[in-house]
Amino acid sequence: MEGFKLSSEHHTPVLLNEVLKLLEMRRLTTFVDGTLGAGGHAEAILKSHPEIQQFVGFDQDENALEIAKRTLLPFQEKCQFIHSNFGDMQLKLNEENIEGVDGILMDIGASSMQLDQAERGFSFQRTGPLDMRMDQSQAFTAKDLVNTYSEKELGEIFREGEERKWRACARAIVEARAVEPIETTEDLVKILRPMTWKKKGLDPLTLAFQSIRIAVNRELHQLERVIPQAISLLKPKGVLLVITFHRLEDRIVKQLFRQAGESTEVVEGKQQFIIEKTPEVEVLTRKPITGSEKEIEVNPRARSAKLRAVEKL
Ligand SMILES: C[S@@+](CC[C@H](N)C(=O)[O-])C[C@H]1O[C@@H](n2cnc3c(N)ncnc32)[C@H](O)[C@@H]1O
């Protein structure tokens, strides 16, 4: 963050220098931030690219949008704020008559603001209702998930989230809710604490809570939806930057970027066909960019962050 004084106190933007470096020397007229959060990345990008004329910020959390609006007050004439899932990016931008953009950033996952607010129910370190919705206008909560999903479905969610004791976690939830409904993060902590597996450096509850959060918000599904839309929205030489915090998310980004960069496509049917196609992008990051030791020391959130980027051909 050297050289930048950010007004956002709520959230330290992850891999900020690396994001700015990928945008350096590019002329950005229209830019989209798919995950505005507290507006930390947005503020730095607007400061370092005064040529930006139109900056569109998405967040599905209205609370985040309100905070970002305050952070971005000095740039308010250039900014548009959209309360929507980024999975609907193309539709929402078309509604604003925006057809091509020079850059898109997505910094996936929950923000530290969301994790820090006990009443949002994201954190195993704070007692609150079992909620975990990023979009509070959505009806389905973590409480609904843990109290209604079958043991098989729960097991699948924990297994996907790489919780090694996925079977035990699912079983423990089903047994506990047979006695009384699971209402709070504290209830869930008591149920899962003895079951969870300690992964080096992580609180054992991290993966179990993260798995539930990803399922409540259908995070992987929305990521799969948005990448092809974002690529098609880019103007030639436009860039798409995606930061992820979970191995499954990074795998989705890596695969979709690779597919978009390939000159052949395998079509599976009764027979397999290999068809020639025009690559849409050049992958700028063969390997993901990760945080420096220095950044991880001051911002532990950076520990699992991975940044990948493509440039539209
Ligand atoms: C890690 S924070 C972003 C922080 C931001 N880059 C900053 O510097 O302040 C992620 C934000 O993206 C939002 N978000 C996550 N998934 C989303 C989705 N599918 N659609 C829209 N917003 C999403 C969350 O509500 C959260 O506010």
Side-chain angles (χ1 to χ4, degrees), residues 8 10-14 33-42 58-61 64-65 82 84-87 105-114 120 134-135 217-219 222-223 243 245 301:
S8 158
H10 307 272
H11 181 95
T12 316
V14 165
D33 185 337
T35 53
L36 209 46
H41 283 105
F58 283 77
D59 207 295
Q60 59 176 332
D61 182 344
L65 282 179
I82 301 185
S84 162
N85 199 298
F86 59 52
L105 170 69
M106 287 188 296
D107 173 18
I108 310 294
S111 68
S112 34
M113 295 180 301
Q114 289 164 335
R120 303 290 302 266
M134 287 187 188
D135 180 352
N217 297 289
R218 303 188 72 211
E219 292 176 39
Q222 298 301 350
L223 182 60
I243 301 172
F245 294 86
R301 236 186 120 250

Side-chain angles (χ1 to χ4, degrees), residues 149-163:
Y149 273 31
S150 68
E151 185 173 337
K152 186 163 175 266
E153 287 167 327
L154 290 167
E156 195 52 36
I157 286 168
F158 290 126
R159 196 170 64 84
E160 274 231 316
E162 300 182 328
E163 171 50 60

Side-chain angles (χ1 to χ4, degrees), residues 189-205:
V189 168
K190 281 194 195 131
I191 297 163
L192 294 181
R193 176 70 77 196
M195 305 302 146
T196 42
W197 168 67
K198 183 149 177 51
K199 194 173 170 186
K200 214 172 134 207
L202 279 183
D203 185 295
L205 285 168

Side-chain angles (χ1 to χ4, degrees), residues 284-295:
L284 300 178
T285 47
R286 289 279 152 213
K287 286 210 165 118
I289 298 174
T290 52
S292 64
E293 274 179 29
K294 198 171 145 209
E295 178 176 2

